[in-house]
Amino acid sequence: MSRTTEASAPRTPDLLYSETEDDLRAAVRGLLADRNDSSRVAVRAEEGDPYDTDLWKALAADMGVAGLLVPEELGGQGASHREVAVVLEELGRAMAPAPYLTSAVVATEVLLGCDTGKAEVAELLGELAAGRRTAALVVGFGAGPDDVHLWPGLDGVLAGVADAATADVLLVPTAGGLYAVERNGAGVSVAPQIPLDLTRPLAEVTLDSAPGTLLAGADTTRAAVRRGLLAGAGLLASEQLGLAEWCLEETVRYTKERHQFNRPVGSFQALKHRMAQLWLEVVSARAAARNAADTLAAGSTEAPFAVALAQAYCGRVAVHAAEECVQLHGGIGMTWEHPAHLYLKRAKADSIALGSSGAHREAVGRLVGLPVPD
């Protein structure tokens, strides 16, 4: 989960952004403003090819954000989950299609949970950190940290694997260990599926005695996969936060400009109440997401609770913000030309990704000793 050791004494979470994080945010936001046009995203998504390789190269390789979690000695930036959270906030805000969550977070964390002294693991981590390759963990995108299922071997079929159709390497957790399998290799078939969120491709993966490179043994594999899914779920909250912030800001901007009866519609009391309530929810979501990122960065024993709490709350807020964005934009919010539909679909898809909010609420209950209903 992290390279630091948690002290026995309770720690105070740091929810504020550092100067370094603010600088990183400005750089990522500037890049996305130049390279990520929402109308182009919608067209590419509709055509079934949402990822812009030039954008990914600029983010992952040129800016180096793909290697934030990877130690410097392995070719990465040696940063932490806090910096990754900032990147995901901006990717969520811009609705930028990129395999960042699946490759630079989940797959990278799984590999960091293995023996990084092993040549095959270190080499793959270095390639992911440099942006030369991407990887996808072959589990259903709805699987949460407490829902780790292993393949019986390098044979079988699994649907709903995020970014499997575009990844260079598939990480397959089996009962015999973790294997790296080339997506275009023998015995591998990846069939794209039609997802709700067209900006994050899903695929069905079929393995037929596929050759693979063993990266870790069986015992290490289960712990490594849980580590990857825990970090992924915790940092997904930051993507949901960025999405919700954009929806709120765009809705406030539009209701200030849109006039009815010679008044801005945003001046109507009913709409003021709705946006004020949404603002309170977004502020709370920011606290939950930042707490999850901070506990992951610190390697805190409280990380499972912080992650479950963030996912139980942030998913609902993102969906509410996107729904309000569509509704309060009136007729234009229902059109294909306006990007509100992209945000709503991403929010809905994210709400059941890496564990549903219900599953995370149950986890919160278990972790604090509350009885969970049957």
Side-chain angles (χ1 to χ4, degrees), residues 92-283:
R93 175 186 287 270
M95 192 50 56
Y100 191 76
L101 179 68
T102 52
S103 182
V105 178
V106 177
T108 295
E109 280 283 358
V110 171
L111 292 173
L112 289 171
C114 302
D115 179 9
T116 56
K118 188 171 184 178
E120 295 85 353
V121 176
E123 181 181 1
L124 184 52
L125 274 171
E127 291 178 334
L128 297 186
R132 291 191 294 270
R133 309 189 85 192
T134 60
L137 178 66
V138 187
V139 300
F141 196 46
D146 298 321
D147 190 25
V148 178
H149 296 287
L150 305 180
W151 289 60
L154 293 179
D155 293 275
V157 181
L158 182 65
V161 181
D163 291 332
T166 59
D168 299 299
V169 180
L170 303 177
L171 300 182
V172 185
T174 75
L178 179 70
Y179 287 86
V181 176
E182 293 294 324
R183 177 176 60 86
N184 292 323
V188 180
S189 175
V190 180
Q193 297 178 294
I194 300 176
L196 172 62
D197 173 17
L198 296 177
T199 64
R200 179 170 277 150
L202 300 179
E204 180 181 80
V205 177
T206 302
L207 301 179
D208 183 12
S209 299
T213 302
L214 182 64
L215 302 178
D219 293 339
T220 301
T221 296
R222 185 174 291 274
V225 170
R226 185 178 189 279
R227 169 180 171 151
L229 295 178
L230 183 68
L235 293 171
L236 175 62
S238 293
E239 179 183 286
Q240 292 165 326
L241 169 62
L243 184 157
E245 288 180 331
W246 183 90
C247 289
L248 174 60
E249 292 172 10
E250 173 62 18
T251 303
V252 170
R253 182 201 63 78
Y254 178 78
T255 55
K256 285 181 177 179
E257 296 178 356
R258 173 70 169 151
H259 282 66
Q260 286 184 353
F261 312 111
N262 292 322
R263 292 176 56 189
V265 296
S267 66
F268 299 154
Q269 189 174 33
L271 299 192
K272 285 182 178 179
H273 287 172
R274 288 171 67 170
M275 286 183 282
Q277 176 60 37
L278 184 56
W279 179 83
L280 289 172
E281 293 179 9
V282 170
V283 170

Side-chain angles (χ1 to χ4, degrees), residues 294-340:
D294 186 61
T295 55
L296 286 167
S300 172
T301 55
E302 298 176 358
F305 172 77
V307 168
L309 183 64
Q311 271 305 302
Y313 186 74
C314 292
R316 180 180 65 81
V317 172
V319 171
H320 183 210
E323 289 174 341
E324 292 287 76
C325 184
V326 170
Q327 291 181 15
L328 296 183
H329 272 75
I332 193 175
M334 303 291 180
T335 63
W336 183 257
E337 287 75 16
H338 195 278

Side-chain angles (χ1 to χ4, degrees), residues 1 7-9 15 40 52 75 78 84 161 166 180 205 210 256 276 291 308 321 367:
M1 189 162 47
S8 58
L15 306 185
R40 188 172 176 223
D52 183 339
V84 172
V161 181
T166 59
V205 177
K256 285 181 177 179
N291 183 50
L367 290 168

